[in-house]
Amino acid sequence: MHPWFTERFGNPSSIYQLGQDARAAIELSRQQCATVLGCHPSEIVFTSGATESNNQTLLNIMLDPASKADERPHLITSAVEHHAVLHPAEWLEHRGIDITVLPVVTNGIVDPDDVRRAIRPSTRMISLMYANNEVGSVQPIAEVGAIARERGILFHTDAVQAAGQLPLNVNALGVDFLSLSAHKFYGPKAVGILFARKGTPLAHLQMGGGQESGRRGGTENVPGIVGLGMALQIAESGRESYGEHCRTIRDGLWEGLQEQIGGITLNGVPTQNGPARLANNLNVAIEGVQGETVLLNLDMLGIAASAGSACTTGNTQPSHVLTAMGFSAEHARSSIRLTTGRCNTVEDVAEVVDAFASSVSRIRQLAG
Ligand SMILES: Cc1ncc(COP(=O)(O)O)c(C=O)c1O
């Protein structure tokens, strides 16, 4: 990324050589992304991240006046989506779009039969996340993709949490739209992509100049796009070994926490159910403590963890994901998410387990 901030600072829309170099760098990144997604480079639109990709897809497709003009368009989504889907869906509902929010069972997964049952003649799109950011549950995307295709309905997936962990081939998944954020696969922040299948009625994400073939006006974030393409290529090439690494540490953590902390339970899919839970995700509830309090204690010990989604930190509401899974508000507030990654080592396991156990014991003592 570095040269594109400094000596190679050309504007990719300019015809001088520096600009054309920047254009070539963007097109190389587009090719890298297309290779990972198994699509044509022209189907990749660079955005500022998945929030933009999700918002713009939902708004563009659901408010498109061209199709089925005689009925209220209908959108199907799920109760465990990120707010970058749920909030635009609510916004659309206030503007006359019919929305069905599908439930999940306690493991956080949507039943494809519920999708089938929710479909109406007016259903225009299904938006279902690939993997959940709080509990790591992996949705049956290919199955829902097949249903959508059979019924002629557009299908969008927010694949933010899946990148670098699960296959992203858009044809195998049967998706028409797919959103990613680079920082979830060790790329830079505030850059992402939207895959938009050729022939789908996506007009433009934002109007302005003719960038991104007229689909997203605005000067491109060249260093970010360069970083994204390279990060996605690296993430995909190391996907299996990364998964194994994350799983080993995650499983070690879960074993250690169970040994040292009484009243601890796992939220979501059992860790041994391989493909249905992301290998890097652990989400636990600890009886009698507030998740936020444990987080603060862990932070003082140099350990970064989360309660709920990172974007809702400071929000006093219990996690909408855990409550949709049928847990009480109290259970949700006592929950913590630990995510393992490339930089963690097996040596970290003992340190985190000890820090976690001593924090919980101190909090329980203080609470009497
Ligand atoms: C599943 C999911 N979707 C969307 C987003 C939003 O991504 P961004 O903040 O990069 O736009 C996130 C962020 O954590 C996420 O986890």
Side-chain angles (χ1 to χ4, degrees), residues 47-55 80-85 129-134 158-162 179-184 188-192 309-311 337:
T47 66
S48 64
T51 299
E52 178 186 333
S53 304
N54 292 349
N55 269 263
V80 295
E81 300 298 307
H82 191 274
H83 285 139
V85 164
M129 74 197 319
Y130 196 167
N132 186 267
N133 47 309
E134 293 188 34
D158 173 344
V160 163
Q161 297 289 333
S179 308
L180 291 179
S181 276
H183 67 287
K184 302 298 175 167
K189 291 175 187 66
V191 61
S309 111
C311 319
R337 169 169 60 120

Side-chain angles (χ1 to χ4, degrees), residues 81-276:
E81 300 298 307
H82 191 274
H83 285 139
V85 164
L86 288 177
H87 286 169
E90 280 164 23
W91 186 91
L92 285 164
E93 193 169 29
H94 290 135
R95 280 153 188 84
I97 304 294
D98 285 333
I99 312 280
T100 298
V101 179
L102 296 174
V104 292
V105 281
T106 39
N107 59 12
I109 295 178
V110 165
D111 180 349
D113 283 335
D114 282 343
V115 177
R116 238 183 231 107
R117 279 189 287 269
I119 293 173
R120 308 174 189 170
S122 60
T123 306
R124 193 174 281 181
M125 187 160 72
I126 300 169
S127 180
L128 181 62
M129 74 197 319
Y130 196 167
N132 186 267
N133 47 309
E134 293 188 34
V135 293
S137 47
V138 178
Q139 302 294 349
I141 293 300
E143 223 176 314
V144 174
I147 298 171
R149 188 141 299 181
E150 183 191 305
R151 305 292 293 269
I153 297 165
L154 294 167
F155 184 29
H156 166 251
T157 190
D158 173 344
V160 163
Q161 297 289 333
Q165 302 223 48
L166 301 171
L168 287 180
N169 185 292
V170 290
N171 297 317
L173 294 172
V175 295
D176 298 299
F177 302 102
L178 179 144
S179 308
L180 291 179
S181 276
H183 67 287
K184 302 298 175 167
F185 45 89
Y186 299 94
K189 291 175 187 66
V191 61
I193 67 172
L194 173 66
F195 156 76
R197 191 177 288 283
K198 188 166 182 269
T200 50
L202 185 101
H204 43 247
L205 306 186
Q206 62 188 25
M207 289 174 274
Q211 290 90 349
E212 297 297 285
S213 306
R215 288 170 301 181
R216 184 184 187 266
T219 303
E220 300 91 333
N221 170 3
V222 181
I225 290 171
V226 166
L228 179 150
M230 185 53 81
L232 191 59
Q233 186 178 308
I234 296 170
E236 179 63 15
S237 64
R239 182 158 55 81
E240 283 180 20
S241 56
Y242 176 70
E244 258 170 56
H245 174 77
C246 289
R247 177 172 288 113
T248 304
I249 296 167
R250 190 269 316 268
D251 290 350
L253 276 175
W254 180 219
E255 217 171 281
L257 291 175
Q258 286 177 97
E259 275 166 18
Q260 303 238 0
I261 302 174
I264 188 165
T265 51
L266 182 76
N267 294 323
V269 179
T271 51
Q272 60 273 23
N273 283 14

